[in-house]
Amino acid sequence: QVQLVESGGGLVQTGGSLRLSCTPSGSTFNGYTVAWFRQDPGKEREFVAASRWTGGTTHYADSVKGRFTISRDKSKNTVTLQMNSLKPEDTGTYYCASGQPILSAIRSSTIYRYWGQGTQVAVST
């Protein structure tokens, strides 16, 4: 059973930066797509960004393009989400997920098989 371990998150002021990391415990990301989703209470999980481990192609939600960067470190078997110019609307619980979606489904949370426990991000005004 793959367990995704997330780290990072916290409280930051508007315009600040945070860095989230995700590592598969006891496994690797080989052959998988790794994505970040965020969720507010009472709302569905929202796609943020994704990266294919093989090849490294990336995808972003329009709301984070130019501010967030998803990257992979093969030596550390880790995917990182660098979040810059944070806004209050970026607040939420961020989840790392891995799966093998086709391109047209890469933004769909239902396609991803493995999930992390979530990490809190709060952006104050």
Side-chain angles (χ1 to χ4, degrees):
Q1 181 72 14
V2 176
Q3 290 184 329
L4 303 184
V5 179
E6 300 149 342
S7 61
L11 174 63
V12 67
Q13 291 184 334
T14 296
S17 297
L18 285 172
R19 186 183 181 97
L20 307 181
S21 295
C22 177
T23 300
S25 176
S27 184
T28 71
F29 283 135
N30 287 343
Y32 282 83
T33 294
V34 183
W36 289 94
F37 289 80
R38 67 184 175 204
Q39 187 172 25
D40 291 328
K43 296 186 178 180
E44 293 185 356
R45 288 184 183 180
E46 173 188 20
F47 173 80
V48 175
S51 174
R52 293 203 186 274
W53 188 257
T54 302
T57 54
T58 57
H59 306 265
Y60 295 94
D62 289 342
S63 60
V64 306
K65 278 182 182 177
R67 300 188 298 121
F68 290 12
T69 302
I70 187 170
S71 59
R72 60 200 170 112
D73 187 333
K74 288 192 170 184
S75 67
K76 296 180 180 179
N77 198 28
T78 296
V79 170
T80 297
L81 183 68
Q82 178 66 43
M83 305 185 293
N84 298 329
S85 301
L86 282 161
K87 305 175 181 180
E89 51 263 44
D90 294 320
T91 294
T93 302
Y94 282 69
Y95 295 90
C96 175
S98 67
Q100 296 174 308
I102 58 175
L103 181 58
S104 61
I106 205 165
R107 298 166 187 257
S108 173
S109 64
T110 60
I111 299 299
Y112 290 84
R113 181 175 182 181
Y114 302 109
W115 291 84
Q117 77 283 0
T119 185
Q120 297 287 337
V121 169
V123 184
S124 64
T125 56

